[in-house]
């Protein structure tokens, strides 16, 4: 799994940030998902790639998901997690994935 990309970790309230993640989701092929973790312990799925169809003879399947996320003041201190899952994992769920990467926490500047 590549490190997830976040366009910035410091932004103004109501601005958008870009989140990008790519992973080899294995065989059977799976998907990647973005989650938002706030300081108040709320966790929300904010985006997911399409499930890739199996291709006989191929053992590498790459999935990508790019998200544009509008930041609010409640996101101050939040971080984002990209997970890689397939149909054989217990997911979808941020706690079910063995393969994940977290971004740094964001600092939201209020207007």
């Amino acid at each position: 799994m590549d490190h997830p990309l976040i366009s910035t970790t410091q932004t103004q309230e109501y601005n958008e940030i870009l989140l990008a993640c790519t992973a080899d989701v294995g065989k059977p092929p799976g998907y990647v998902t973005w989650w938002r973790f706030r300081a108040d312990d709320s966790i929300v799925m904010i985006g997911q790639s399409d499930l890739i169809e199996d291709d006989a003879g191929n053992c590498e399947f790459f999935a990508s998901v790019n998200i544009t996320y509008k930041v609010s003041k409640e996101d101050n201190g939040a971080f984002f997690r990209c997970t890689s899952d397939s149909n054989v994992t217990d997911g979808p769920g941020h706690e079910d994935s063995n393969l994940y990467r977290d971004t740094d926490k964001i600092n939201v500047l209020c207007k």
Side-chain angles (χ1 to χ4, degrees):
M1 172 177 273
D2 292 339
H3 277 295
L5 301 176
I6 185 170
S7 59
T8 186
T9 56
Q10 182 165 305
T11 188
Q12 291 283 334
E13 181 180 19
Y14 307 117
N15 283 356
E16 292 180 341
I17 59 174
L18 302 175
L19 301 165
C21 186
T22 299
D24 179 355
V25 293
K27 186 172 179 92
Y31 48 90
V32 290
T33 306
W34 273 110
W35 303 88
R36 185 208 61 222
F37 289 72
R38 283 187 176 160
D40 66 2
D41 294 328
S42 66
I43 302 166
V44 175
M45 182 178 75
I46 59 171
Q48 186 172 57
S49 68
D50 293 330
L51 184 65
I52 297 173
E53 295 298 320
D54 201 346
D55 181 14
N58 194 353
C59 288
E60 287 187 326
F61 293 89
F62 288 89
S64 295
V65 63
N66 300 323
I67 299 293
T68 301
Y69 179 81
K70 187 177 238 179
V71 175
S72 71
K73 65 183 175 186
E74 290 82 12
D75 291 322
N76 189 49
F79 69 93
F80 301 88
R81 175 173 290 171
C82 180
T83 61
S84 172
D85 300 285
S86 72
N87 288 336
V88 295
T89 59
D90 292 333
H94 63 87
E95 72 282 349
D96 297 321
S97 179
N98 292 325
L99 298 173
Y100 68 89
R101 296 283 188 269
D102 293 340
T103 67
D104 291 332
K105 292 181 178 180
I106 62 171
N107 184 24
V108 179
L109 307 172
C110 297
K111 293 183 178 183

